[in-house]
Amino acid sequence: KNEVEQSPQNLTAQEGEFITINCSYSVGISALHWLQQHPGGGIVSLFMLSSGKKKHGRLIATINIQEKHSSLHITASHPRDSAVYICAVGSNYKLTFGKGTLLTVNP
Amino acid sequence: EAEVAQSPRYKITEKSQAVAFWCDPISGHATLYWYRQILGQGPELLVQFQDESVVDDSQLPKDRFSAERLKGVDSTLKIQPAELGDSAMYLCASSLNWADTQYFGPGTRLTVL
């Protein structure tokens, strides 16, 4: 079974700061997903990646397959980025989720 | 833009009653997932369908939970009888195939009294 660990569990930042959220997994995967969940809101898929790096606006996701590690970066953070960020890894036709990182960006 | 539909959005029931949730995935999506999310935790996969077949239901409490996707399109998740510990958000998601981007529905918030 794949174990997915996210760090930190909670993160508080000031507006404008550079944010990094990490995800490590134990077993080889076919793809890694980063998801965003706003308080009381639904879940939105941010990225799906199997190698290298992807960028969308102020969000950047990277993955190192050899080290079984991925990072989600947010540049110039804003209060509207406050949400839970969830890492999920796919292998053997299944997705395994991390417990999420609660990000709070203060103005 | 196509969305995953779920109903009802909210459900309050008493323990020992039966409840059912419905999900209509994005058209053409072969893979459908049911998740349970307890407040403050990440989603937990309950059951995964590939078309009408169950791929994974290892975390589904089969003594009380059942799920079906008879024609490989929409799906129903049932709980009978409901227990207090079943109070949670039940999320449905779909994807073109199992490794593709998942699209989540708005969820059904279940409260068992």
Side-chain angles (χ1 to χ4, degrees):
Chain A
K1 181 183 175 182
N2 217 338
E3 302 290 334
V4 181
E5 297 288 336
Q6 283 188 240
S7 63
Q9 278 189 295
N10 294 283
L11 179 57
T12 301
Q14 288 300 120
E15 184 173 356
E17 286 185 0
F18 181 84
I19 305 292
T20 295
I21 300 171
N22 297 298
C23 175
S24 297
Y25 50 93
S26 58
V27 178
I29 63 171
S30 59
L32 183 143
H33 304 252
W34 281 103
L35 310 167
Q36 179 192 58
Q37 186 172 33
H38 284 283
I43 296 177
V44 174
S45 180
L46 298 174
F47 296 103
M48 184 185 68
L49 64 165
S50 54
S51 66
K53 180 168 80 173
K54 287 190 176 180
K55 184 176 187 293
H56 185 256
R58 296 180 293 106
L59 302 178
I60 303 167
T62 64
I63 188 168
N64 185 318
I65 297 295
Q66 287 72 32
E67 295 186 3
K68 297 185 176 60
H69 180 270
S70 175
S71 293
L72 176 69
H73 306 286
I74 305 175
T75 61
S77 60
H78 190 276
R80 64 174 176 267
D81 296 326
S82 298
V84 175
Y85 292 84
I86 303 168
C87 169
V89 299
S91 64
N92 296 326
Y93 304 98
K94 299 178 187 179
L95 277 188
T96 304
F97 288 79
K99 292 185 177 179
T101 294
L102 175 60
L103 171 65
T104 303
V105 181
N106 294 319
Chain B
E1 183 176 308
E3 296 180 342
V4 176
Q6 287 188 250
S7 67
R9 293 292 304 277
Y10 303 91
K11 179 70 178 179
I12 299 174
T13 190
E14 294 184 345
K15 62 180 181 179
S16 80
Q17 296 298 304
V19 292
F21 312 131
W22 178 78
C23 173
D24 191 13
I26 293 173
S27 178
H29 280 196
T31 311
L32 184 148
Y33 308 81
W34 282 103
Y35 296 96
R36 176 171 60 186
Q37 186 176 27
I38 295 170
L39 195 62
Q41 298 184 19
E44 172 196 23
L45 179 69
L46 292 175
V47 62
Q48 177 181 336
F49 289 93
Q50 184 69 23
D51 299 309
E52 67 276 8
S53 301
V54 173
V55 172
D56 182 7
D57 64 356
S58 56
Q59 300 301 312
L60 189 71
K62 298 182 188 64
D63 56 335
R64 298 184 300 108
F65 286 63
S66 64
E68 60 183 17
R69 194 185 183 198
L70 293 176
K71 296 182 179 179
V73 181
D74 59 336
S75 175
T76 303
L77 177 69
K78 296 179 182 176
I79 308 174
Q80 183 174 14
E83 296 181 353
L84 296 177
D86 296 331
S87 294
M89 176 74 85
Y90 290 82
L91 295 159
C92 178
S94 71
S95 59
L96 273 173
N97 219 322
W98 75 274
D100 294 313
T101 298
Q102 290 195 18
Y103 296 86
F104 285 79
T108 296
R109 182 165 294 283
L110 173 67
T111 302
V112 181
L113 304 176

